[in-house]
Amino acid sequence: MDISPMVLTLGLGFLLLAVFLLKKKPSSGINLPPGSFGWPLLGESLEFLASQRDNACYDFMEKRVKKYGDTFKTHFLGAPMAVFYSPAGNRFLFSNENKLVQTSWPSSLAKLFGNSILTKVGDEAKDLRKTLLTFLRPEALQNFVGRADTIIRDHLTRYWVGKEEVKTFPLAKRCLFTVACALFVSLGEGPEQDELYDHFMDLINGMLQIPVDLPGTLYRKSRIGSNHIRRILQSVIDKRREDLASGLASSDQDLLSYLLCNVDGRENPLSDSDINDNIMQLLMAGHDTNAVAVTLLLKYLALNPHCYRQVLQEQLNITRENGEKQLQWDDIQRMKYTWNAAQETLRLNPPAGGTWRKAIVEISYGGFTIPKGWKLFWTANSTHKNPKYFPDPDKFEPARFEGNGPAPYTFVPFGGGPRMCPGNEFARMVILAFLHNIVKMFEYDLVDVNEKVIVDPFPTPVDGQPIKLRPQSKK
């Protein structure tokens, strides 16, 4: 049921008033970074969220950097905030985790993701990260390359082959969701996966909206979606525990079995809540952000035929040597130019534009004082599109990543330091497996080379990026 604009406005007003009254007023009498807290109650939230949706976050930040410098204050999503907008700022935040700062997502997001690696801090975060990385490290992932390759081939055969035109983004999302479900919880295609996918779409579509938890709002749908995801995953967890006990499942078949059969860094079994919330978070990151990357990589390759030809040649060389065998980990390691092209795509359109920290003590930085409790924000676009670090920054140029690559703390699509995304190797594996199969099977052209890309909450082609397909003529 749709909610009336008047009720929505009143609800938003009461919510923001409550936030305003509960929050401490920004500290005075100290040398705060320059900047503006924006409108009373609202701060700069509406302008920031609008810039996100229009894929203009870079412009939002650059406007303030030119006025105030690369460290400035603002106020959005209910909190006073300092923005760090430089490699030095990235280094400061990444290297001071649990010393001066801790990860601190807005409370509206924390409610959606519960006890996941996204929201845990301190020793709990260290222990959980160590556990997840044991499964997501390259040595473990190499056992799953063939399974991912088979799922992707099957998807392309069923939904792409024989079609003159397809919409890349929704198909890539569905394919990579199936890959993530298979590798994380051994859940194949069918009604249960379909229901799970629908709830993930509700979760994603409302997670970065104004957090008004009233009937009909996108945030309410997101919260309900997260509850349904937990319900479905709990039934999968219960069934897997029974199968492990009876010998019908193995301890190393997927992430779920691994988490059920192992302990955290303090030798304690993980709770069902921890397992549930972390699988939910990884399923989201494991398909949506990777679908963004492969979709936009196909776009940039179409717009840069010389880059496409190099990717194609690299993939055809692998196919000639392996025939139609499943991809292996060694094949992934040989896709050097293709991964350079993927990294250049991540530079131009980072799937996650930035994240939040919180000052756990009063911080001195750049001659300014940042009060304890303030939020801190960093964004990949502070460096990714800066000509100082990437000359001609709007140009698609995979060669930037040859040799030693970019300077430290300038290329940060996966973050950095102790909070660096634990799934970066998984992302590399599925992106390259998807590209390998696409280019060896199809030639393609963009239907609309000027299709707009918005961010809501991840970069999204507004029309799904339709492409015209032809069977690959080069063998």
Side-chain angles (χ1 to χ4, degrees), residues 115-118 120 125-137 140-141 184 255-256 258-259 263-264 270 274-275 277-279 281-282 422-423:
N115 294 316
S116 75
I117 188 66
L118 192 73
K120 282 187 179 291
K126 289 181 183 178
D127 292 342
L128 180 57
R129 179 181 175 83
K130 182 178 179 181
T131 301
L132 293 174
L133 279 175
T134 302
F135 179 84
L136 294 170
R137 72 190 192 282
L141 287 176
F184 293 159
L255 177 62
L256 174 56
Y258 174 80
L259 294 178
V263 295
D264 65 17
L270 292 170
D274 279 343
I275 293 172
D277 290 343
N278 280 285
I279 287 179
Q281 196 267 320
L282 288 171

Side-chain angles (χ1 to χ4, degrees), residues 190-404:
E192 192 171 28
Q193 190 191 110
D194 292 342
E195 182 186 2
L196 192 62
Y197 182 79
D198 289 341
H199 293 312
F200 264 104
M201 294 308 99
D202 288 338
L203 169 64
I204 291 166
N205 290 337
M207 59 186 278
L208 280 183
Q209 300 295 325
I210 294 292
V212 180
D213 195 359
L214 293 173
T217 62
L218 288 173
Y219 182 76
R220 168 65 68 88
K221 291 179 181 179
S222 183
R223 186 181 61 76
I224 292 173
S226 72
N227 290 338
H228 282 303
I229 292 167
R230 288 186 178 88
R231 170 183 57 80
I232 295 170
L233 290 179
Q234 187 59 54
S235 68
V236 175
I237 291 169
D238 293 340
K239 179 65 165 57
R240 178 63 56 80
R241 185 176 279 113
E242 294 176 2
D243 289 346
L244 286 167
S246 63
L248 295 177
S250 64
S251 61
D252 60 354
Q253 74 180 54
D254 57 24
L255 177 62
L256 174 56
S257 282
Y258 174 80
L259 294 178
L260 284 170
C261 295
N262 286 276
V263 295
D264 65 17
R266 301 181 185 185
E267 301 302 312
N268 297 315
L270 292 170
S271 69
D272 280 10
S273 175
D274 279 343
I275 293 172
N276 198 321
D277 290 343
N278 280 285
I279 287 179
M280 177 172 73
Q281 196 267 320
L282 288 171
L283 280 173
M284 183 196 75
H287 87 276
D288 212 88
T289 57
N290 293 334
V292 168
V294 298
T295 297
L296 295 179
L297 176 50
L298 288 173
K299 170 187 174 180
Y300 289 121
L301 293 179
L303 295 174
N304 297 273
H306 63 291
C307 298
Y308 169 82
R309 286 192 292 271
Q310 291 189 67
V311 167
L312 175 62
Q313 189 59 54
E314 186 171 73
Q315 301 308 322
L316 290 179
N317 288 342
I318 291 171
T319 299
R320 286 191 193 98
E321 293 187 19
N322 288 358
E324 293 303 316
K325 294 179 182 178
Q326 285 184 336
L327 282 175
Q328 301 298 317
W329 185 253
D330 287 346
D331 299 324
I332 297 294
Q333 304 311 107
R334 292 165 56 199
M335 300 180 189
K336 298 185 183 302
Y337 184 84
T338 307
W339 182 236
N340 287 345
Q343 289 182 98
E344 180 69 339
T345 302
L346 293 171
R347 181 187 70 80
L348 288 164
N349 292 97
T355 57
W356 290 265
R357 301 289 192 272
K358 179 176 72 174
I360 56 178
V361 297
E362 186 173 274
I363 293 173
S364 295
Y365 178 81
F368 305 114
T369 298
I370 299 169
K372 178 181 178 180
W374 270 37
K375 288 287 200 302
L376 310 165
F377 185 75
W378 69 270
T379 169
N381 285 327
S382 65
T383 53
H384 284 199
K385 294 189 177 181
N386 190 324
K388 181 178 179 180
Y389 313 113
F390 296 97
D392 198 1
D394 292 327
K395 182 181 179 181
F396 182 78
E397 183 51 79
R400 301 180 199 273
F401 294 90
E402 294 176 354
N404 293 328

